[in-house]
């Protein structure tokens, strides 16, 4: 991620603050920054969402295409993730500079999201063994101020909620091959059930305590962090320890417990917000970046 | 091209515009707090985001820096979901490299680079949605971003595309009109002096029509410059209210 240079005195200041449950911007250790979410910002995608978490800006676009299912699971579709760390975030990402980080982010997203329980992959099947829907989830990183995984997972969940996949009918044509017909009505589409889509929570260990939603400055003071992906029921889909330091088992246990608690409480307000946005329907004023 | 009339008998185009009408332009400056300058611009359905970093010390090899002026470094990239068919690579292909060079050439003509010797100005443009006029939207967004970054320029740089159908020039082409195989001319203009920073034309055109086509593109660009100017003054009003004591 974009590196920020911090002096020793600043690091000590942050560590002492965290010890007293007070961070640089006045938050507690388990508080998120101000979050703004908007769906349907890019009109030629099947689903999109934009999130601003403090100074971290992420844009997710989902395109659904028809492809061949994987041979091991012929009656399921699948998701493909691609994270583009654009040069907008920092000049270091110019050219191929952002590729390493992008690959690392998309691999973690695969682990957290691409399983049968998160998204109902069977609903993406068109005809077993031959055709299925492939959802290309493209994440665009626009501004980077720490906590990329959380922002990306919330944006992905919002974008999946917003995704509209056209209904298709299979018909047999003259030679016995299958023909796929798209329905004429553009509003006749299938929505995905995002109840079980997890949200990722990253906890960074600073001093003896851990913080949720660390900014770049706080990340510079922490040696290790734990990433945990939690569904609304509290089921964990992925746990990962990142960073160059080592953690003792006690801290990992504490951090996973805190992560589960925080993650569980993210889902309800998010779904409520998405339902409210959806209920506004055509009357909703699309703001995007113009607001 | 059967069945697809770019200009109907009543003088209306595919999206209902008249021949010399521009698409709706909406823009906003300072979208990102971390960059030195940023701007977002929508020209119809084409959405472009421009970010400027600099002037700063030349990154990478020292040999790239020039002793008497600043180096302008541009990167043009498209989001993978920006086009109707999903794009596999956001940048690095030939078209993106060519566009980056064009942008560099355009802004070297406008930015007062002699004021910053041995430094570098980075301009990164991202297309979020492509519906024709990608280059023009990039140039317009990048102009606003440079203004937002406070980098001195000779003039605004405004760009627009123009096409030619049945003796009528069309201003500000959308994707369907561009890819139809007809003429498409891109022009980047410095409005006050009327100087042209970049001129590019694809497809065949009779030499008699070239003047009318260029005139149409220049008029459209001048119209765009008024829009950009109003965006900048609006932004200044908002910012001055916030910073006023």
């Amino acid at each position: 991620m974009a590196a920020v240079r911090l002096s020793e005195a600043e690091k000590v200041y942050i560590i002492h603050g965290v010890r007293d449950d007070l961070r640089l911007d006045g938050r507690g250790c388990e508080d998120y920054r101000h979050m703004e979410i908007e769906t349907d910002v890019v009109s030629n995608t099947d689903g999109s969402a934009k999130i601003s978490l403090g100074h971290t800006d992420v844009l997710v676009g989902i395109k659904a295409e028809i492809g061949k299912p994987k041979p091991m699971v012929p009656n399921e579709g699948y998701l493909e993730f691609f994270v583009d760390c654009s040069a907008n975030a920092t000049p270091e990402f110019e050219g191929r500079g952002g590729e390493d980080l992008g690959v690392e982010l998309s691999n973690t997203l695969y682990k957290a999201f691409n399983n049968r329980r998160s998204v109902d992959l069977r609903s993406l099947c068109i005809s077993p063994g031959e055709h299925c829907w492939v959802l290309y989830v493209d994440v665009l990183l626009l501004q980077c101020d720490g906590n990329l995984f959380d922002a990306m997972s919330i944006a992905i969940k919002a974008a999946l909620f917003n995704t509209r996949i056209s209904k298709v009918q299979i018909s047999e044509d003259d030679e016995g091959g299958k023909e796929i017909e798209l329905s004429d009505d553009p509003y006749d589409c299938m929505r995905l059930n995002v109840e079980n889509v997890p949200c990722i929570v990253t906890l960074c260990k600073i001093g003896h305590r851990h913080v949720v939603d660390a900014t770049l400055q706080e990340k510079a003071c922490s040696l290790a962090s734990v990433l945990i992906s939690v569904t609304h029921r509290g089921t964990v889909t992925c746990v990962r320890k990142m960073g160059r330091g080592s953690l003792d088992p006690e801290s990992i246990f504490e951090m996973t417990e805190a992560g589960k608690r925080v993650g569980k409480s993210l889902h309800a307000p998010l779904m409520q917000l998405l339902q409210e946005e959806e209920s506004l329907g055509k009357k909703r004023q699309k703001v995007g970046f113009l607001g | 091209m059967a069945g697809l009339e770019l200009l109907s008998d009543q003088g209306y185009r595919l999206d209902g515009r008249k021949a010399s009408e521009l698409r709706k332009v909406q823009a906003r400056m300072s979208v990102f707090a971390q960059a030195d300058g940023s701007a977002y611009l929508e020209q119809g359905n084409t959405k472009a985001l421009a970010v400027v970093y600099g002037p700063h010390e030349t990154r990478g090899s020292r040999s790239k820096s020039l002793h008497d002026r600043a180096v302008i470094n541009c990167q043009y990239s498209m989001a993978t979901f920006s086009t109707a068919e999903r794009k596999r690579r956001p940048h690095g292909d030939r078209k993106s490299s060519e566009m980056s060079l064009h942008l560099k050439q355009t802004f070297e003509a406008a930015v007062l680079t002699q004021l910053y010797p041995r430094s570098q100005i980075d301009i990164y443009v991202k297309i979020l949605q492509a519906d024709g006029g990608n280059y023009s939207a990039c140039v317009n967004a990048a102009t606003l971003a440079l203004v937002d970054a406070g980098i001195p320029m000779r003039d605004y740089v405004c760009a627009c595309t123009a096409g030619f159908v049945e003796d009528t020039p069309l201003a500000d082409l959308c994707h369907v009109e561009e890819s139809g195989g007809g003429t498409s001319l891109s022009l980047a203009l410095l409005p006050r002096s009327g100087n042209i920073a970049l001129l590019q034309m694809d497809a065949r055109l009779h030499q008699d029509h070239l003047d009318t086509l260029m005139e149409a593109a220049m008029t459209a660009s001048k119209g765009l410059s008024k829009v950009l100017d109003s965006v900048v003054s609006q932004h200044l009003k908002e910012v001055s209210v916030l910073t006023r004591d």
Side-chain angles (χ1 to χ4, degrees), chain A residues 39 157-158 161-162 164 191-195 267-281 284:
Chain A
T39 57
K157 183 163 180 162
F161 178 82
N162 180 240
R164 284 162 172 77
R191 302 289 294 275
L192 291 169
N193 182 4
V194 295
E195 281 284 310
H267 290 271
L270 176 64
M271 287 310 290
Q272 195 188 357
L273 174 73
L274 291 174
Q275 308 278 11
E276 269 174 24
E277 215 188 16
E278 175 87 12
S279 64
L280 286 174
R284 172 164 77 101

Side-chain angles (χ1 to χ4, degrees), chain A residues 42-73:
Chain A
V42 181
S43 44
N44 64 355
T45 52
D46 295 307
S48 59
K50 170 185 172 296
I51 184 174
S52 306
L53 180 61
H55 281 314
T56 300
D57 276 303
V58 174
L59 180 62
V60 174
I62 298 186
K63 274 177 131 47
E65 284 177 21
I66 298 185
K68 213 165 150 60
K70 298 198 170 130
M72 299 284 284
V73 274

